[in-house]
Amino acid sequence: MTDAPVRVVVADDQAAIRTGLVLILGSAPGIEVVAEAADGLGAVAEAVRLRPDVVLMDIRMPGIDGIEATRRLVGDGVCDVLVLTTFDLDDYIDDALAAGAAGFLLKTVEAPALIAAVRSVARGDGVLAPEVTRRVLARLPAPTAPAPAQVPGLDELTAREREILGCLGEGLSNAEIAARLVITEATTKTHVSRVLTKLGLRSRVQAAIAARSAGLAG
Amino acid sequence: MTDAPVRVVVADDQAAIRTGLVLILGSAPGIEVVAEAADGLGAVAEAVRLRPDVVLMDIRMPGIDGIEATRRLVGDGVCDVLVLTTFDLDDYIDDALAAGAAGFLLKTVEAPALIAAVRSVARGDGVLAPEVTRRVLARLPAPTAPAPAQVPGLDELTAREREILGCLGEGLSNAEIAARLVITEATTKTHVSRVLTKLGLRSRVQAAIAARSAGLAG
DNA sequence: CGCCGCGTACATCCTTCGATCGACGCCGGG
DNA sequence: CCCGGCGTCGATCGAAGGATGTACGCGGCG
């Protein structure tokens, strides 16, 4: 299983860098560079044709850039992409990751780390350059709780009350909620009151905020 | 500068593993293991006493676990923590990162990678085990687009009105807004009315939603 | 069966909200 | 200088919201 070589396409518009990358990867056992490309379109074409395990993708390239090429390859499920760039810019990182890149490295990477990164991506894992990892981590303060955002009494709500809360999160008035749920406005008010009491809130505005942070509304 | 050795505290309750880690790190040039600990409290105590560059922290430990120990060390700004665990569980990863860990590795890591990781963390960078990187990345789909949410008439608001909108986004009542901005409730109502008119909304609840989606409130 | 908890429903009462007036002082530009 | 935009304050009034109390149907349980 592990003896099948990792097939890689290298895409970079600068011939010198491209050659260097090819040499580094080619020298690694178990890694085979099957094609090179000098622009985004070429990278996509070669990847579609050869179905490599990994595309090592530069960002700044003529025509469509590495980000767009990554988006296409990942979007179509062609292969994994390891983005490699000279510039440690947040925008690049965000765009690359949003495009679905499996990894993001800087060109300051040493050869052994590059080789390890390619192997990781081929294995289905991900890679982040240490220089950017901390910044990425810092911007993910709520990975464990975006959906179940802490709303203390949320679990005490009945299904109906949760429904009410969802409506509140959409900014509906009592009359609108009543119409949607086919109940009287008086009943709606009762539910709203219960929701507020159970959640310890003082107004429907706060309930709306809670509802949205809990993911109960758009 | 770079010749000052990286000082490390190793915390793991299993003596065999701890010894292995110490040997690996001790054999690396430029890395010095200054203390060992067998539980979370010990790790915190040693770190506070010795002020190392990095604490290599196991999660499952007697007394307070590695997560809590990490929280304390990072919270107090004592040092960076590299979390190391046997189990590739999302909960562990989330908790560790939420606690402020600079890195997260699995004990399947090879010696050279462990050494590189310690150096990265000491340099102020971050490290994620490749096995977990992809999962972490997958849960970060909107780093580039949460701030600039489209709110049509937002640019027509005056500075004061934007301030009002921010308060609305926090769920404050007119009286509370008045108190915070040191104006009369009557004035507050005037502003709120203007905001609603300019934004084409029908209630403060919708304004609160708009405010939050525009990033004007927490 | 009777009791109780729960969800649902309605009515009553008071507060808050929101719209719509009018008014004043301040500033900056025509 | 006068005008207009902005921020402030006030008053009124109808609509909406929120608290509180009551009531009914349903299910489980002793």
Side-chain angles (χ1 to χ4, degrees), chain A residues 80-81 94-95 97-98 100-104 120-121 123-134 136-137 139-141 143-144 168-173 176 202-206 208-209 212-213, chain B residues 80-81 91 94-95 97-98 100-103 120-121 123-134 136-137 139-141 143-144 168-173 176 202-206 208-209 212-213:
Chain A
D80 284 330
V81 176
D94 292 344
D95 291 347
L97 299 182
F104 186 94
S120 288
V121 171
R123 204 167 49 230
D125 294 332
V127 174
L128 272 188
E131 293 88 343
V132 312
T133 295
R134 178 163 289 198
V136 170
L137 293 184
R139 277 181 305 164
L140 139 125
T144 171
L168 288 175
E170 294 183 35
L172 302 183
S173 70
E176 289 166 331
R202 293 194 328 285
S203 80
R204 72 198 293 101
V205 182
Q206 298 177 350
I209 295 170
R212 298 185 77 83
S213 75
Chain B
D80 284 331
V81 176
D91 283 352
D94 293 343
D95 291 347
L97 298 183
S120 288
V121 172
R123 204 167 50 230
D125 295 332
V127 175
L128 272 187
E131 293 88 342
V132 312
T133 295
R134 178 162 290 198
V136 171
L137 293 184
R139 278 180 303 163
L140 154 111
T144 171
L168 288 174
E170 294 183 34
L172 302 183
S173 69
E176 290 166 331
R202 293 193 327 284
S203 79
R204 70 200 292 104
V205 181
Q206 297 177 352
I209 295 171
R212 299 185 78 82
S213 75

XYZ file of all heavy atoms in Angstrom, chain A residues 80-81 94-95 97-98 100-104 120-121 123-134 136-137 139-141 143-144 168-173 176 202-206 208-209 212-213, chain B residues 80-81 91 94-95 97-98 100-103 120-121 123-134 136-137 139-141 143-144 168-173 176 202-206 208-209 212-213:
699
model
N -5.790 16.784 -3.970
C -5.463 17.714 -2.897
C -4.441 18.727 -3.369
O -3.655 18.455 -4.280
C -4.903 16.946 -1.688
C -6.010 16.242 -0.932
O -7.138 16.739 -0.947
O -5.737 15.192 -0.336
N -4.476 19.886 -2.741
C -3.564 20.953 -3.133
C -2.792 21.449 -1.916
O -3.374 21.690 -0.853
C -4.339 22.137 -3.757
C -3.396 23.286 -4.061
C -5.077 21.690 -5.003
N -6.058 32.974 4.188
C -7.507 32.836 4.229
C -8.044 32.346 2.897
O -8.864 31.438 2.837
C -8.148 34.179 4.584
C -7.836 34.590 6.016
O -7.408 33.701 6.778
O -8.016 35.761 6.345
N -7.585 32.993 1.839
C -8.096 32.633 0.523
C -7.742 31.191 0.175
O -8.571 30.443 -0.340
C -7.521 33.580 -0.542
C -8.075 34.986 -0.387
O -9.058 35.150 0.362
O -7.530 35.908 -1.002
N -7.086 28.680 2.164
C -7.838 27.719 2.971
C -9.300 27.712 2.568
O -9.934 26.661 2.520
C -7.678 28.050 4.458
C -6.233 27.977 4.951
C -6.165 28.256 6.430
C -5.613 26.629 4.629
N -9.809 28.908 2.251
C -11.202 28.973 1.809
C -11.370 28.229 0.493
O -12.427 27.679 0.201
C -11.637 30.421 1.670
N -9.977 25.639 -0.235
C -9.955 24.202 0.028
C -8.577 23.579 0.041
O -8.448 22.355 -0.032
N -7.557 24.411 0.134
C -6.205 23.864 0.170
C -6.037 22.958 1.383
O -6.565 23.240 2.451
C -5.183 25.001 0.222
N -5.322 21.876 1.184
C -5.072 20.949 2.292
C -3.881 21.408 3.116
O -3.677 20.941 4.233
C -4.836 19.544 1.764
N -3.113 22.314 2.560
C -1.951 22.770 3.288
C -1.503 24.132 2.807
O -1.879 24.583 1.716
N -0.741 24.798 3.648
C -0.239 26.125 3.315
C 1.180 26.241 3.841
O 1.397 26.204 5.055
C -1.132 27.190 3.944
C -0.787 28.588 3.531
C -1.442 29.192 2.466
C 0.204 29.288 4.184
C -1.120 30.483 2.078
C 0.539 30.574 3.798
C -0.125 31.177 2.745
N 2.305 14.189 3.959
C 1.139 14.359 4.829
C -0.118 14.609 4.010
O -1.161 14.001 4.240
C 1.362 15.533 5.787
O 2.309 15.194 6.780
N 0.007 15.498 3.060
C -1.171 15.826 2.250
C -1.616 14.603 1.451
O -2.807 14.314 1.343
C -0.866 17.010 1.311
C -2.011 17.206 0.322
C -0.627 18.271 2.121
N -1.397 11.687 2.296
C -1.993 10.749 3.238
C -3.389 11.202 3.646
O -4.100 10.517 4.368
C -1.076 10.639 4.461
C -1.207 9.365 5.260
C -0.044 9.247 6.243
N 0.159 10.471 6.996
C 1.338 11.072 7.138
N 2.420 10.585 6.557
N 1.436 12.174 7.844
N -3.749 12.386 3.189
C -5.077 12.893 3.531
C -5.043 13.834 4.721
O -6.080 14.270 5.198
N -3.858 14.133 5.193
C -3.762 15.036 6.336
C -3.573 16.467 5.857
O -3.593 16.746 4.670
C -2.600 14.617 7.244
C -2.864 13.261 7.873
O -4.046 12.920 8.051
O -1.896 12.549 8.170
N -3.380 17.361 6.774
C -3.205 18.763 6.432
C -1.876 19.287 6.944
O -1.261 18.670 7.810
N -1.463 20.410 6.415
C -0.200 20.999 6.837
C -0.341 22.513 6.895
O -0.927 23.117 6.010
C 0.935 20.647 5.843
C 2.201 21.383 6.224
C 1.171 19.160 5.804
N 0.187 23.070 7.939
C 0.255 24.528 8.016
C 1.682 24.915 8.376
O 2.293 24.294 9.243
C -0.683 25.069 9.097
C -2.127 25.382 8.724
C -2.807 26.075 9.879
C -2.178 26.235 7.477
N 2.202 25.940 7.723
C 3.516 26.439 8.090
C 3.449 26.923 9.530
O 2.491 27.596 9.909
C 3.931 27.583 7.171
N 4.447 26.570 10.324
C 4.421 26.980 11.739
C 4.246 28.490 11.889
O 3.582 28.945 12.817
C 5.794 26.547 12.255
C 6.217 25.448 11.347
C 5.628 25.763 10.005
N 4.825 29.237 10.948
C 4.721 30.698 11.054
C 3.280 31.178 11.013
O 2.953 32.232 11.555
C 5.507 31.365 9.909
C 7.017 31.172 9.983
C 7.455 29.889 9.289
O 6.593 29.021 9.046
O 8.658 29.747 9.006
N 2.424 30.446 10.343
C 1.049 30.908 10.214
C 0.094 30.160 11.146
O -1.010 30.620 11.395
C 0.529 30.768 8.766
C 1.526 31.339 7.784
C 0.230 29.333 8.421
N 0.537 29.037 11.649
C -0.353 28.212 12.465
C -0.920 28.986 13.634
O -2.115 28.968 13.901
C 0.406 26.981 12.985
O 0.767 26.175 11.886
C -0.476 26.188 13.927
N -0.049 29.691 14.313
C -0.535 30.371 15.513
C -1.570 31.422 15.181
O -2.549 31.587 15.891
C 0.638 31.021 16.262
C 0.165 31.770 17.492
C 1.271 32.055 18.449
N 1.735 30.848 19.109
C 2.451 30.879 20.226
N 2.781 32.015 20.774
N 2.857 29.763 20.774
N -3.588 31.374 12.663
C -4.831 30.690 12.303
C -5.540 30.219 13.564
O -6.749 30.382 13.724
C -4.547 29.505 11.367
C -5.800 28.663 11.187
C -4.046 30.003 10.027
N -4.777 29.661 14.480
C -5.379 29.157 15.718
C -6.006 30.295 16.509
O -7.067 30.137 17.098
C -4.308 28.471 16.573
C -3.724 27.195 15.994
C -2.761 26.567 16.988
C -4.810 26.227 15.623
N -7.437 32.793 15.488
C -8.714 33.260 14.954
C -9.769 32.174 14.994
O -10.698 32.175 14.194
C -8.517 33.760 13.536
C -8.017 35.191 13.510
C -7.869 35.618 12.096
N -7.001 34.683 11.395
C -6.942 34.626 10.073
N -7.714 35.395 9.360
N -6.114 33.781 9.513
N -9.614 31.230 15.841
C -10.602 30.165 15.915
C -10.924 29.926 17.369
O -10.619 28.932 17.937
C -10.057 28.966 15.162
C -10.060 27.519 15.426
C -10.670 26.834 14.241
C -8.629 27.062 15.527
N -11.553 30.933 17.963
C -11.838 30.837 19.382
C -13.103 30.050 19.637
O -13.358 29.673 20.753
C -12.012 32.292 19.798
C -12.469 32.982 18.553
C -12.111 32.129 17.368
N -14.327 27.017 17.824
C -14.475 25.912 16.899
C -15.323 24.833 17.534
O -16.004 24.085 16.875
C -13.053 25.409 16.704
C -12.322 25.837 17.946
C -13.148 26.871 18.663
N -15.296 24.811 18.842
C -15.988 23.753 19.538
C -17.430 24.129 19.819
O -18.234 23.278 20.140
C -15.274 23.459 20.869
O -16.067 22.581 21.615
C -15.111 24.741 21.674
N -37.889 34.591 16.900
C -37.330 35.801 17.498
C -36.008 36.141 16.819
O -35.727 37.301 16.547
C -37.115 35.598 19.001
C -38.386 35.548 19.857
C -38.045 35.216 21.295
C -39.122 36.869 19.774
N -35.231 35.102 16.561
C -33.932 35.305 15.924
C -34.053 35.856 14.517
O -33.105 36.406 13.973
N -35.215 35.703 13.934
C -35.411 36.259 12.598
C -35.980 37.664 12.656
O -36.252 38.270 11.619
C -36.346 35.357 11.796
C -35.729 34.000 11.506
C -36.650 33.144 10.650
O -37.345 33.704 9.794
O -36.678 31.922 10.862
N -36.209 38.152 13.858
C -36.693 39.518 13.994
C -38.190 39.657 13.808
O -38.673 40.756 13.546
N -38.912 38.572 13.953
C -40.359 38.648 13.764
C -41.045 39.262 14.982
O -40.571 39.124 16.107
C -40.924 37.247 13.519
C -40.351 36.485 12.317
C -41.050 35.152 12.160
C -40.458 37.315 11.055
N -42.174 39.918 14.737
C -42.986 40.438 15.840
C -43.878 39.316 16.351
O -43.986 38.262 15.726
C -43.845 41.599 15.354
O -44.849 41.108 14.482
N -46.389 38.372 13.798
C -45.825 37.588 12.687
C -45.569 36.152 13.122
O -45.781 35.201 12.359
C -44.545 38.252 12.184
C -44.807 39.555 11.443
C -43.542 40.381 11.253
O -42.619 40.282 12.088
O -43.473 41.121 10.281
N -34.066 39.737 29.299
C -35.016 40.774 29.669
C -35.795 41.334 28.495
O -36.714 42.123 28.698
C -34.295 41.904 30.398
C -33.748 41.506 31.754
C -33.340 42.718 32.579
N -32.856 43.834 31.786
C -31.682 43.911 31.215
N -30.849 42.906 31.346
N -31.327 44.960 30.528
N -35.419 40.978 27.296
C -36.172 41.489 26.147
C -36.006 40.562 24.951
O -35.079 39.767 24.890
C -35.706 42.890 25.770
O -34.518 42.808 25.016
N -36.918 40.690 24.028
C -36.865 39.859 22.841
C -35.622 40.149 22.015
O -35.167 39.308 21.240
C -38.135 40.063 22.006
C -38.175 41.385 21.334
C -39.560 41.769 20.885
N -40.129 40.965 19.821
C -41.017 40.003 20.033
N -41.395 39.728 21.234
N -41.518 39.339 19.029
N -35.092 41.342 22.156
C -33.875 41.674 21.418
C -32.740 40.756 21.864
O -32.022 40.171 21.047
C -33.488 43.147 21.647
C -32.247 43.477 20.843
C -34.630 44.063 21.264
N -32.577 40.637 23.166
C -31.551 39.744 23.680
C -31.826 38.307 23.258
O -30.901 37.542 22.969
C -31.481 39.849 25.206
C -31.105 41.247 25.675
C -31.105 41.367 27.185
O -31.561 40.468 27.886
N -30.600 42.481 27.682
N -33.262 37.409 20.524
C -32.882 37.311 19.118
C -31.382 37.091 18.992
O -30.911 36.253 18.215
C -33.304 38.582 18.376
N -30.630 37.837 19.773
C -29.179 37.694 19.751
C -28.791 36.281 20.169
O -27.965 35.633 19.532
C -28.533 38.737 20.681
C -28.798 40.148 20.154
C -27.054 38.489 20.825
C -28.409 41.251 21.111
N -29.543 33.687 17.481
C -28.620 33.677 16.359
C -27.276 33.106 16.768
O -26.653 32.364 16.002
C -28.471 35.087 15.797
C -29.789 35.627 15.276
C -29.626 36.966 14.616
N -29.057 36.859 13.287
C -29.773 36.581 12.207
N -31.062 36.383 12.315
N -29.189 36.506 11.044
N -26.833 33.439 17.952
C -25.546 32.895 18.389
C -25.670 31.405 18.650
O -24.688 30.686 18.654
C -25.063 33.610 19.646
O -25.788 33.171 20.768
N 4.772 29.307 26.618
C 3.991 28.619 25.601
C 3.884 27.146 25.949
O 4.744 26.586 26.631
C 4.648 28.772 24.233
C 4.415 30.167 23.664
O 3.381 30.754 23.998
O 5.273 30.648 22.912
N 2.815 26.535 25.477
C 2.582 25.125 25.769
C 2.385 24.353 24.476
O 1.621 24.773 23.598
C 1.339 24.950 26.668
C 1.038 23.466 26.881
C 1.541 25.652 27.993
N -12.381 16.587 20.773
C -12.577 17.304 22.023
C -11.251 17.760 22.609
O -11.119 18.880 23.094
C -13.304 16.407 23.037
C -14.789 16.326 22.717
O -15.234 17.083 21.831
O -15.483 15.513 23.324
N -9.898 20.671 20.489
C -10.625 21.905 20.753
C -10.264 22.468 22.113
O -9.988 23.657 22.254
C -12.129 21.644 20.684
C -12.570 21.305 19.267
O -11.787 21.587 18.338
O -13.662 20.760 19.107
N -10.284 21.587 23.100
C -10.009 22.058 24.453
C -8.594 22.616 24.560
O -8.370 23.658 25.170
C -10.200 20.911 25.454
C -11.664 20.518 25.585
O -12.522 21.278 25.100
O -11.942 19.459 26.159
N -6.677 23.855 22.224
C -6.520 25.126 21.519
C -7.271 26.232 22.236
O -6.803 27.364 22.317
C -7.014 24.980 20.075
C -6.226 23.943 19.262
C -6.722 23.907 17.830
C -4.733 24.241 19.302
N -8.446 25.875 22.762
C -9.197 26.874 23.507
C -8.427 27.299 24.751
O -8.536 28.436 25.202
C -10.573 26.332 23.899
N -5.428 27.704 24.860
C -4.343 28.586 24.457
C -3.054 27.886 24.075
O -2.004 28.523 23.975
N -3.147 26.583 23.848
C -1.945 25.852 23.456
C -1.398 26.402 22.142
O -2.155 26.761 21.247
C -2.252 24.370 23.313
N -0.090 26.468 22.058
C 0.536 26.957 20.829
C 0.675 25.828 19.822
O 0.937 26.070 18.643
C 1.899 27.567 21.130
N 0.527 24.623 20.294
C 0.683 23.501 19.380
C -0.027 22.274 19.898
O -0.368 22.178 21.080
N 9.753 25.378 16.881
C 8.759 26.299 16.316
C 8.024 27.051 17.417
O 7.860 28.274 17.363
C 7.750 25.534 15.456
O 8.348 25.107 14.254
N 7.585 26.310 18.391
C 6.835 26.946 19.469
C 7.718 27.947 20.212
O 7.281 29.049 20.547
C 6.276 25.889 20.440
C 5.680 26.559 21.663
C 5.231 25.045 19.736
N 9.956 29.623 19.033
C 10.160 30.776 18.153
C 8.906 31.644 18.121
O 8.873 32.700 17.509
C 10.503 30.263 16.754
C 11.263 31.228 15.889
C 11.828 30.505 14.670
N 10.800 29.722 14.010
C 10.944 28.441 13.674
N 12.052 27.799 13.966
N 9.971 27.800 13.077
N 7.862 31.181 18.758
C 6.635 31.963 18.760
C 5.648 31.504 17.708
O 4.604 32.120 17.516
N 5.968 30.442 17.007
C 5.070 29.940 15.981
C 4.161 28.874 16.560
O 4.184 28.586 17.749
C 5.875 29.379 14.797
C 6.657 30.482 14.103
O 6.202 31.634 14.155
O 7.718 30.195 13.535
N 3.369 28.289 15.714
C 2.435 27.268 16.164
C 2.672 25.964 15.432
O 3.337 25.926 14.402
N 2.137 24.908 15.979
C 2.313 23.593 15.362
C 1.023 22.794 15.506
O 0.394 22.806 16.560
C 3.445 22.804 16.050
C 3.515 21.392 15.473
C 4.765 23.511 15.884
N 0.648 22.145 14.445
C -0.483 21.219 14.506
C -0.046 19.902 13.891
O 0.606 19.887 12.851
C -1.677 21.760 13.719
C -2.661 22.676 14.426
C -3.836 22.947 13.518
C -3.122 22.084 15.732
N -0.418 18.815 14.530
C -0.137 17.513 13.928
C -0.877 17.429 12.601
O -2.046 17.820 12.516
C -0.582 16.400 14.859
N -0.211 16.934 11.563
C -0.858 16.852 10.254
C -2.179 16.104 10.308
O -3.131 16.457 9.610
C 0.162 16.085 9.407
C 1.469 16.309 10.068
C 1.166 16.444 11.537
N -2.238 15.114 11.177
C -3.465 14.317 11.266
C -4.676 15.171 11.663
O -5.805 14.852 11.321
C -3.294 13.178 12.288
C -2.290 12.105 11.867
C -0.870 12.456 12.293
O -0.617 13.640 12.598
O -0.016 11.555 12.307
N -4.417 16.213 12.425
C -5.548 17.023 12.901
C -5.702 18.319 12.114
O -6.739 18.960 12.178
C -5.398 17.352 14.403
C -5.063 16.105 15.179
C -4.372 18.423 14.638
N -4.671 18.700 11.415
C -4.704 20.002 10.730
C -5.900 20.110 9.804
O -6.626 21.103 9.807
C -3.416 20.207 9.920
O -2.325 20.273 10.810
C -3.505 21.502 9.121
N -6.120 19.077 9.019
C -7.196 19.172 8.041
C -8.551 19.334 8.721
O -9.395 20.090 8.266
C -7.211 17.933 7.141
C -8.348 17.979 6.149
C -8.145 17.037 5.010
N -7.070 17.462 4.133
C -6.918 17.011 2.894
N -7.755 16.132 2.403
N -5.916 17.412 2.152
N -9.102 20.689 11.570
C -9.204 22.041 12.109
C -9.502 23.027 10.986
O -10.358 23.898 11.116
C -7.894 22.432 12.830
C -7.911 23.906 13.186
C -7.699 21.585 14.069
N -8.837 22.849 9.874
C -9.049 23.769 8.755
C -10.478 23.681 8.247
O -11.079 24.677 7.871
C -8.084 23.434 7.612
C -6.612 23.675 7.902
C -5.783 23.405 6.660
C -6.387 25.075 8.396
N -13.046 23.299 9.771
C -14.022 23.993 10.602
C -13.763 25.478 10.663
O -14.097 26.128 11.632
C -14.023 23.400 11.996
C -14.865 22.143 12.073
C -14.821 21.606 13.466
N -13.438 21.348 13.853
C -13.067 21.188 15.100
N -13.951 21.289 16.040
N -11.807 20.938 15.381
N -13.169 26.016 9.663
C -12.857 27.444 9.653
C -13.244 27.971 8.284
O -12.424 28.367 7.506
C -11.387 27.585 9.985
C -10.397 28.637 9.656
C -10.036 29.369 10.923
C -9.159 27.916 9.138
N -14.525 27.911 7.994
C -14.956 28.196 6.638
C -15.178 29.672 6.379
O -15.307 30.070 5.247
C -16.282 27.446 6.537
C -16.779 27.414 7.946
C -15.640 27.712 8.882
N -13.374 32.742 7.588
C -12.479 33.679 8.225
C -12.392 34.957 7.417
O -12.054 35.996 7.906
C -11.128 32.972 8.216
C -11.229 31.946 7.127
C -12.667 31.862 6.669
N -12.766 34.894 6.169
C -12.530 36.003 5.269
C -13.770 36.861 5.087
O -13.685 37.942 4.552
C -12.079 35.469 3.907
O -12.050 36.535 2.991
C -13.047 34.404 3.400
N -27.965 48.802 20.084
C -29.092 47.937 19.746
C -28.587 46.508 19.560
O -29.239 45.549 19.991
C -29.763 48.432 18.452
C -30.577 49.724 18.575
C -31.066 50.183 17.223
C -31.733 49.514 19.523
N -27.437 46.377 18.936
C -26.872 45.056 18.688
C -26.516 44.330 19.968
O -26.346 43.112 19.970
N -26.365 45.077 21.034
C -26.064 44.435 22.310
C -27.326 44.131 23.094
O -27.262 43.637 24.216
C -25.141 45.333 23.140
C -23.774 45.495 22.510
C -22.860 46.338 23.384
O -22.973 46.252 24.610
O -22.052 47.100 22.820
N -28.458 44.477 22.523
C -29.715 44.152 23.183
C -30.123 45.145 24.249
O -30.931 44.825 25.118
N -29.587 46.332 24.197
C -29.916 47.321 25.221
C -31.290 47.951 24.960
O -31.718 48.092 23.818
C -28.845 48.418 25.241
C -27.412 47.955 25.507
C -26.483 49.153 25.578
C -27.336 47.141 26.780
N -31.964 48.355 26.013
C -33.223 49.089 25.889
C -32.898 50.562 25.669
O -31.764 50.985 25.820
C -34.064 48.919 27.147
O -33.452 49.608 28.225
N -31.362 52.010 28.691
C -29.967 51.608 28.890
C -29.035 52.335 27.928
O -27.922 52.730 28.291
C -29.838 50.091 28.721
C -30.488 49.309 29.856
C -30.670 47.845 29.529
O -30.831 47.501 28.338
O -30.663 47.036 30.459
N -38.167 47.529 10.688
C -39.430 47.805 11.344
C -39.371 47.656 12.856
O -40.337 47.995 13.541
C -40.523 46.892 10.800
C -40.872 47.158 9.347
C -42.165 46.467 8.927
N -42.390 45.208 9.598
C -41.773 44.071 9.314
N -40.853 44.048 8.368
N -42.066 42.971 9.959
N -38.293 47.133 13.377
C -38.195 47.017 14.826
C -36.734 46.972 15.251
O -35.851 46.684 14.457
C -38.908 45.760 15.319
O -38.085 44.637 15.094
N -36.546 47.245 16.508
C -35.186 47.250 17.054
C -34.586 45.846 17.005
O -33.362 45.701 16.991
C -35.184 47.782 18.472
C -35.826 46.861 19.456
C -36.251 47.556 20.711
N -35.166 48.035 21.554
C -34.808 49.317 21.620
N -35.434 50.213 20.893
N -33.842 49.693 22.396
N -35.431 44.844 16.996
C -34.911 43.476 16.914
C -34.173 43.280 15.592
O -33.054 42.777 15.559
C -36.057 42.454 17.027
C -35.494 41.049 16.974
C -36.815 42.671 18.314
N -34.809 43.715 14.520
C -34.151 43.604 13.231
C -32.890 44.450 13.193
O -31.883 44.064 12.594
C -35.119 44.040 12.123
C -36.343 43.149 12.035
C -37.332 43.628 10.984
O -37.178 44.709 10.426
N -38.343 42.813 10.725
N -30.991 45.040 15.711
C -29.977 44.298 16.468
C -29.333 43.240 15.585
O -28.111 43.070 15.574
C -30.613 43.651 17.700
N -30.151 42.550 14.829
C -29.627 41.526 13.928
C -28.701 42.148 12.898
O -27.599 41.668 12.653
C -30.797 40.790 13.242
C -31.615 40.023 14.278
C -30.286 39.856 12.159
C -32.908 39.446 13.735
N -25.359 43.192 14.408
C -24.429 42.088 14.664
C -23.871 41.526 13.363
O -22.698 41.188 13.282
C -25.122 40.994 15.477
C -25.583 41.521 16.836
C -26.154 40.427 17.680
N -25.126 39.606 18.277
C -24.477 39.919 19.383
N -24.739 41.040 19.998
N -23.569 39.115 19.857
N -24.699 41.443 12.358
C -24.183 40.910 11.097
C -23.225 41.909 10.455
O -22.414 41.538 9.615
C -25.334 40.586 10.142
O -25.856 41.774 9.600
